[in-house]
């Protein structure tokens, strides 16, 4: 299945969350509608029923008074009044059917049927002034019939009341069920929405994090780092990964080209500079005739500049050789005391020439053997010592110390020289950077020594830092594993130097 694009994933996620949250709303609305309907039925049914029962009771009272009138006044008016009342009661009794009270309705209708016959009999007697007979019919037959009607109405009222009670209970149950359904569906919806959100967030943050670490690696010069997001992924991240890979390859290629170019150019420069220097020396030695004073001065200036150029070219060659070789080290067993002895004897001469006190401190805990690239490391420490002597005036002190700290060798070069202004300290490891203290230097430099030193130290899996108080001196500290951790240094390939 092709990977979902970011846009589609966001769309699906948002719609999913909306739908999931809408479901409990829908369920709640449905439940509320049911409750509403029950309440309406209850209201309409109970109201209409109590109205009907009221009318029937009223009708029974009217029936009773119409019958009394008929018994004592036997006129067509009293007879019609009685018949109309019976018809009225019949209509009301029919209405009981619509409340599912069929037997009550039937009972009332049967009683009314016999009342019709009896009312005619009463009228016959009453109109013939046989009021006693009429009264006997009333007491014996009519009144009990009306009583039956009253009882039937009372029983129907009981049934209606019980029914209303049941309906109220049902409505209460419905409300509780609706509430439960709403709460449960809301909880499920929140859980589902949470799951969708987690899926959405993870599917975005994972590749973003991967890209971020990749970019970070590239920014710190590691162009070899591969992303976990494959470039053939069919979404925005796949395309980003593809661009990332193309960019990293291109940068690696450019870096190699740059190193090769510097290397070739430096080589090509070396020969003509040597030729110039050679001829100047010949001129100065008077091989081509004695030089007038002015020309001698010019020759000295040219020679000075040519030597500067030689230094620069040598440094550039160092850097480019290291970089072009991919920062590869040739680590082997190094005799640490011998390594320090060599440095001490090389710089003691310089110390004497400069009248600078040179002190070497070695901890007794130092191991005899370490595993480093000896040439590179002696270049690094040599560079730190050269700088220290360069910036330390006569009478000052330069100190080289070596200590053992767990698995690391800590080498420090301290001087009492010019020091470095604090705001410039973070930049001194950048290529070609020179601090504002050049006037205090006894020789010119190139600004490349510390950059290459940092590369070499980091390629060993170590670190280099500098501390200084301007005007008071500087301390450079190198922490190197006893056995160069080339794997750890893999993060810092040769081209990692910040230029
Ligand atoms: P350079 O060839 O100029 O010495 P580096 O890379 O070795 O180049 O040093 C960079 C700059 O750091 C130097 O130009 C100098 O300004 C400063 N620096 C390095 N070491 C010292 C030191 N021991 N005392 C004062 N400044 C120093």
């Amino acid at each position: 299945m092709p990977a979902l694009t970011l846009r589609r994933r966001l769309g699906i996620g948002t719609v999913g969350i909306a739908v999931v949250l809408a479901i409990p709303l829908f369920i709640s609305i449905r439940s509320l509608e049911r409750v509403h309907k029950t309440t309406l039925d209850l209201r309409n049914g109970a109201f209409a029923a109590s109205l009907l029962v009221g009318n029937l009771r009223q009708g029974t009272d009217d029936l009773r008074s119409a019958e009394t009138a008929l018994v004592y006044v036997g006129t067509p008016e009293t007879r019609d009044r009685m018949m109309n009342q019976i018809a009225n009661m019949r209509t009301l009794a029919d209405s009981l059917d619509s409340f599912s009270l069929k037997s009550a309705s039937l009972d009332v209708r049967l009683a009314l049927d016999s009342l019709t016959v009896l009312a005619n009999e009463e009228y016959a007697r009453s109109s013939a002034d046989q009021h006693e007979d009429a009264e006997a019919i009333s007491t014996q037959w009519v009144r009990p019939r009306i009583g039956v009607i009253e009882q039937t109405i009372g029983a129907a009222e009981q049934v209606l009341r019980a029914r209303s009670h049941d309906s109220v209970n049902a409505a209460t149950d419905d409300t509780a069920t609706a509430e439960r359904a709403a709460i449960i569906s809301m909880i499920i919806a929140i859980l589902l929405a949470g799951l969708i959100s987690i899926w959405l967030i993870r599917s975005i943050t994972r590749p973003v994090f991967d890209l971020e670490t990749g970019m970070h690696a590239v920014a710190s010069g590691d162009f070899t780092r591969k992303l976990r997001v494959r470039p053939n992924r069919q979404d925005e991240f796949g395309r980003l990964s593809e661009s990332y890979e193309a960019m990293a390859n291109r940068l690696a290629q450019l870096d190699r080209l740059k190193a090769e170019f510097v290397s070739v150019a430096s080589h090509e420069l070396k020969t003509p500079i040597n030729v110039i220097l050679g001829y100047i020396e010949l001129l100065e030695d008077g091989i081509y005739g004695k030089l007038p004073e002015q020309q001698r001065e010019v020759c000295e200036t040219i020679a000075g500049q040519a030597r500067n150029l030689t230094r620069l070219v040598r440094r550039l060659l160092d850097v480019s050789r290291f970089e072009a070789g991919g920062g590869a080290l040739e680590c082997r067993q190094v005799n640490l005391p011998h390594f320090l002895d060599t440095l001490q004897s090389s710089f003691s001469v310089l110390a004497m020439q400069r009248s600078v006190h040179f002190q070497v401190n070695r901890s007794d805990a130092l191991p005899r053997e370490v595993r480093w690239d000896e040439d590179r490391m002696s270049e690094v420490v040599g560079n730190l010592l050269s700088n220290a002597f360069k910036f330390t005036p006569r009478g000052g002190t330069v100190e080289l110390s070596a200590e053992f700290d767990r698995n690391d060798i800590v080498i420090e070069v301290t001087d009492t020289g010019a020091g470095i202004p604090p705001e410039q300290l973070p930049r001194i490891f950048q290529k070609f950077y020179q601090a504002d203290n050049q006037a205090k230097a006894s020789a010119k430099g190139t600004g490349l020594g510390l950059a290459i030193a940092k590369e070499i130290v980091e390629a060993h899996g170590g670190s280099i830092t500098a501390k200084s108080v301007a005007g008071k001196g500087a301390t450079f500290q190198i922490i190197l594993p006893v056995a160069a951790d080339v794997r750890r240094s893999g993060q810092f390939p040769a081209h990692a130097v910040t230029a």
Side-chain angles (χ1 to χ4, degrees), residues 383 387-388 390-391 415 419-420 428 433-435 437-438 445-451 474 476:
N383 185 267
N387 281 347
K390 203 163 75 175
F391 286 96
D415 66 64
I420 303 157
I428 56 171
Y433 185 79
Q434 293 184 299
N437 55 7
Q438 300 307 312
T446 57
L448 281 169
L450 289 179
F476 285 81

Side-chain angles (χ1 to χ4, degrees), residues 311 315 383-392 413-415 417-421 424 427-438 441 443-452 468 473-476:
R311 242 192 330 268
R315 280 278 181 228
N383 185 267
L384 296 186
L385 284 168
S386 302
N387 281 347
F389 280 106
K390 203 163 75 175
F391 286 96
T392 305
V413 176
T414 306
D415 66 64
I420 303 157
Q424 296 177 11
R427 301 185 60 194
I428 56 171
F429 292 100
Q430 294 176 1
K431 273 182 193 163
F432 300 109
Y433 185 79
Q434 293 184 299
D436 282 349
N437 55 7
Q438 300 307 312
K444 286 210 165 120
T446 57
L448 281 169
L450 289 179
I452 179 110
S468 173
T475 299
F476 285 81

